[in-house]
Amino acid sequence: MGVVFIGAAFIAGYCCWSILEANARREVLAEAGLMMDSALATRAYTANEILPLLEQRVWESFPPQSIPFYAATQNFMKLRERHPEYAYKEATLNPTNPRDRAADWEADIIQRFRNDATAQEVVGDRETPMGRSLYLARPIRTEHECAACHSTPAIAPPTLLARYGGDNGFGWQDNEIVGAQVVSVPFASATASAKRAALRSNDLEELVADLATELDAEADRRTFTERCRQGRG
């Protein structure tokens, strides 16, 4: 009977681990979604509140703080000071700022969005030099206001050209998918909470195993006692 209890406990533990890992993955991706929403909110605030205040200065000295892409990225860099395991990038196929240029795997994601304009989100994992990593990506689609800086160098602010040059970040079309917001997190972070929960589960398994052992021992004692009584009879 004890062996059955122990076997059942270990099977339950394995099933429990699978469930905990899946839950941990969902939780991490949900947090990544919230961080991405925060970046979107920063972009919207910059476009609606900050850019109008700096619009005239753009023609005198180019302030990158007026660019929604830049504002969202800088804001996330501050957030990383408290959540260093998360990484954020506004990966773009043809960016003005070279730091935003999409890596090969990010370019593949962007192409998926371009091939399927109805896709709103892509979730996946990939191998990195630091281990397996989860990612959440959403498309970046241009709006009419983007044309002022990204249509042709001829109409772009001269201060932008002075800062970044006239070779990159142009030729964008209205309502075109030009990039993707990507939040990445190491898979180890996704399983950390699952491991903590699993340790608590293991403690429970050990308790069950100890109880099963005690039940086996008690059953053996009763069997031995009963046989002794029968022998005396």
Side-chain angles (χ1 to χ4, degrees), residues 63-85:
Q65 293 81 5
S66 65
I67 305 303
F69 272 45
Y70 178 90
T73 301
Q74 292 299 111
N75 181 68
F76 202 93
M77 288 174 66
K78 285 292 184 181
L79 187 63
R80 283 197 70 192
E81 293 176 5
R82 299 191 63 178
H83 301 277
E85 68 275 19

Side-chain angles (χ1 to χ4, degrees), residues 56-118:
Q56 295 304 315
R57 286 189 55 192
V58 167
W59 297 90
E60 301 169 2
S61 62
F62 185 79
Q65 293 81 5
S66 65
I67 305 303
F69 272 45
Y70 178 90
T73 301
Q74 292 299 111
N75 181 68
F76 202 93
M77 288 174 66
K78 285 292 184 181
L79 187 63
R80 283 197 70 192
E81 293 176 5
R82 299 191 63 178
H83 301 277
E85 68 275 19
Y86 287 87
Y88 175 78
K89 184 177 178 181
E90 302 220 348
T92 312
L93 295 177
N94 180 24
T96 301
N97 191 332
R99 78 173 181 182
D100 297 326
R101 186 171 301 279
D104 289 344
W105 68 275
E106 294 166 334
D108 290 340
I109 294 173
I110 297 169
Q111 196 58 52
R112 288 179 62 180
F113 287 128
R114 290 167 71 93
N115 292 339
D116 181 7
T118 63

Side-chain angles (χ1 to χ4, degrees), residues 164-207:
Y164 295 110
D167 296 329
N168 300 305
F170 298 103
W172 293 13
Q173 304 299 314
D174 193 30
N175 204 40
E176 178 188 10
I177 294 175
V178 295
Q181 290 178 285
V182 183
V183 175
S184 302
V185 59
F187 193 77
S189 296
T191 58
S193 60
K195 288 180 179 178
R196 289 191 293 269
L199 288 174
R200 294 192 294 270
S201 177
N202 287 340
D203 291 340
L204 180 59
E205 288 177 16
E206 290 177 5
L207 180 61

